[in-house]
């Protein structure tokens, strides 16, 4: 103990922009005065590096462990040896799996001890991806009275549900899923771990979302339904089918503008689909934006056409800004978006998205009902922080 506070070690791979890292930083701010927190990041790099609480003790992965926390582009700054080593390990993982590379890199760091609880804040990666390692680090390199791991994924669908990952999770004392939907997915995969799997929601900086939304907010023309999406441009986000749906509705005579904030591996493919469908005059790609909230403030609706999701941070962001949501029915959608109040949960298909958007276009008063509901809600982290305290301090 230190000053009567429990000593926690929380492990993550980096501090680069992303939902997991954002949730990580927000949690640290919420618990900074209740616990003696040490953070270990494989690579102390990323946009959130300067956002950590000032009293947080930060350790960085030693040796080659930083390879698991940096991209191939980022690793160039570490020198030719690191660049070649990571490239070779990425190739090895694609062919043979990541078990051996992760095990070897984790063991380049000294063992840590003296903690009441050690928390892995990142779930296990799919076996062919050179990613993750936080679970293995906590299990192999940390001595602690309690070992906890977080789940930020739909375990059945994200690609990492394997015999090996099942064995890894069985080694933890407690599993914390960031939504009840994520918890149910995990328990369906590994039912024998049901009794030690709990829900600990994501934390948010609601006041920051609201303040930033007021900084030079985008003013949209009122002659169209202005849809905004903030998402990584990757396959699971369903942007391609969104392009097809919006194009279809516009061809039918509806006035729509779709504003997409974010970047990712699928950007070129999305650009090509926009070109092929002739959608460039009403579907706009803005790339990553330092302040996405200024795009959300005056929009009519937030759209997330994902194929699968865990517990998107952006749902809470949209809700606190009074922005109604249309989402496909993914793992936590019905839990996080009250249908007809916070927005609308549609069938997880292209037709489902089409029908819901068409209904909203024909009945705009439905969005007004949602806006009024959202404006009357209170947004806080009280429940999520309480869940975390219960997790660490024990359950009755």
């Amino acid at each position: 103990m230190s000053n009567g506070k429990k000593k926690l070690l929380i492990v993550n791979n980096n501090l680069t922009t992303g939902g997991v890292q954002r949730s990580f930083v927000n949690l640290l701010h919420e618990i900074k005065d209740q616990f003696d927190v040490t953070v270990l990041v494989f690579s102390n790099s990323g946009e959130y590096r300067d956002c950590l609480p000032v009293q947080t003790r930060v350790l960085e992965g030693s040796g080659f462990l930083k390879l698991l926390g940096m991209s191939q582009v980022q690793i160039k700054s570490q020198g030719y040896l690191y660049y070649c080593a990571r490239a070779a390990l990425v190739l090895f993982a694609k062919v043979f799996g990541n078990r051996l590379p992760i095990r070897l890199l984790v063991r380049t760091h000294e063992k840590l001890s003296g903690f009441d609880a050690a928390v892995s804040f990142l779930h296990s990666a799919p076996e062919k991806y050179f990613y993750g390692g936080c679970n293995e680090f906590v299990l192999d390199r940390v001595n602690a009275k309690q070992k906890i791991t977080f789940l930020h994924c739909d375990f059945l669908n994200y690609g990492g549900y394997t015999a090996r990952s099942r064995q890894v999770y069985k080694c933890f004392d407690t599993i914390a899923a960031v939504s009840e939907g994520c918890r149910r997915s995990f328990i369906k995969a590994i039912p024998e771990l049901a009794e030690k799997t709990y829900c600990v929601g994501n934390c948010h900086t609601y006041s920051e979302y609201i303040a930033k939304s007021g900084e030079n907010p985008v003013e949209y023309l009122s002659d169209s339904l202005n849809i905004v999406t903030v998402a990584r441009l990757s396959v699971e986000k369903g942007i391609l089918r969104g392009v097809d749906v919006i194009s279809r509705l516009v061809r039918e005579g509806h006035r729509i503008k779709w504003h997409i904030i974010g970047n990712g591996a699928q950007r070129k493919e999305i650009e090509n689909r926009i070109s092929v469908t002739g959608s460039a005059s009403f579907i706009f790609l803005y790339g990553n934006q330092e302040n996405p909230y200024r795009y959300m403030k005056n929009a009519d609706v937030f759209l997330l056409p994902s194929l699968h999701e865990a517990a998107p941070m952006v749902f809470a962001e949209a809700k606190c800004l009074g922005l109604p949501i249309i989402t496909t029915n993914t793992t936590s959608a019905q839990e996080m978006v009250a249908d007809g109040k916070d927005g609308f949960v549609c069938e997880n298909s292209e037709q489902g998205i089409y029908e819901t958007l068409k209904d909203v276009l024909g009945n705009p008063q439905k969005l007004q009902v949602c806006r009024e509901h959202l404006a009357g809600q209170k947004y806080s982290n009280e429940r999520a922080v309480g869940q975390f305290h219960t997790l660490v301090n024990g359950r009755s």
Side-chain angles (χ1 to χ4, degrees), residues 49-261:
R49 182 179 179 180
D50 297 326
C51 298
L52 297 176
V54 293
Q55 64 266 57
T56 302
R57 185 182 305 107
V58 180
L59 305 176
E60 184 173 25
S62 60
F64 283 90
L65 185 57
K66 66 181 66 176
L67 296 177
L68 277 168
M70 302 180 81
S71 69
Q72 199 64 20
V73 173
Q74 291 171 323
I75 208 70
K76 284 183 178 180
S77 64
Q78 303 298 308
Y80 185 71
L81 177 61
Y82 278 91
Y83 181 81
C84 291
R86 189 183 187 283
L89 291 171
V90 168
L91 180 60
F92 185 96
K94 284 182 179 179
V95 177
F96 302 105
N98 59 24
R99 181 175 186 176
L100 181 59
I102 287 176
R103 183 179 182 186
L104 292 175
L105 294 176
V106 160
R107 292 193 172 187
T108 65
H109 199 287
E110 64 182 347
K111 286 199 171 185
L112 303 175
S113 60
F115 297 98
D116 293 290
V119 181
S120 166
F121 206 74
L122 185 66
H123 48 264
S124 293
E127 287 194 353
K128 299 295 184 180
Y129 286 74
F130 185 69
Y131 181 73
C134 295
N135 281 342
E136 288 82 356
F137 186 92
V138 166
L139 292 175
D140 189 57
R141 309 310 288 170
V142 185
N143 289 321
K145 297 175 184 176
Q146 183 184 15
K147 294 189 177 182
I148 301 166
T149 181
F150 268 73
L151 279 170
H152 298 265
C153 63
D154 175 354
F155 195 72
L156 283 172
N157 293 306
Y158 86 113
Y161 170 35
T162 63
R164 179 182 161 228
S165 66
R166 288 197 298 271
Q167 291 305 313
V168 167
Y169 283 101
K170 287 177 182 179
C171 294
F172 281 93
D173 299 302
T174 313
I175 297 100
V178 293
S179 72
E180 286 295 341
C182 292
R183 179 177 175 272
R184 287 192 298 270
S185 176
F186 182 76
I187 291 172
K188 188 174 181 180
I190 317 179
E192 61 267 37
L193 297 184
E195 291 187 1
K196 61 178 183 180
T197 303
Y198 304 95
C199 180
V200 179
N202 289 314
C203 289
H204 295 270
T205 51
Y206 294 106
S207 59
E208 178 187 340
Y209 305 155
I210 294 168
K212 285 191 171 182
S213 74
E215 297 175 4
N216 191 27
V218 176
E219 300 290 344
Y220 300 108
L221 294 177
S222 59
D223 64 347
S224 300
L225 181 74
N226 286 286
I227 303 171
V228 67
T229 294
V230 181
R232 182 176 61 255
L233 302 186
S234 53
V235 173
E236 72 276 6
K237 298 298 181 180
I239 303 298
L240 287 177
R241 66 178 177 177
V243 172
D244 293 339
V245 168
I246 300 298
S247 300
R248 177 182 173 187
L249 287 165
V250 170
R251 287 196 303 272
E252 293 175 357
H254 298 286
R255 298 185 66 85
I256 303 172
K257 306 287 186 186
W258 189 18
H259 309 271
I260 304 171
I261 293 87

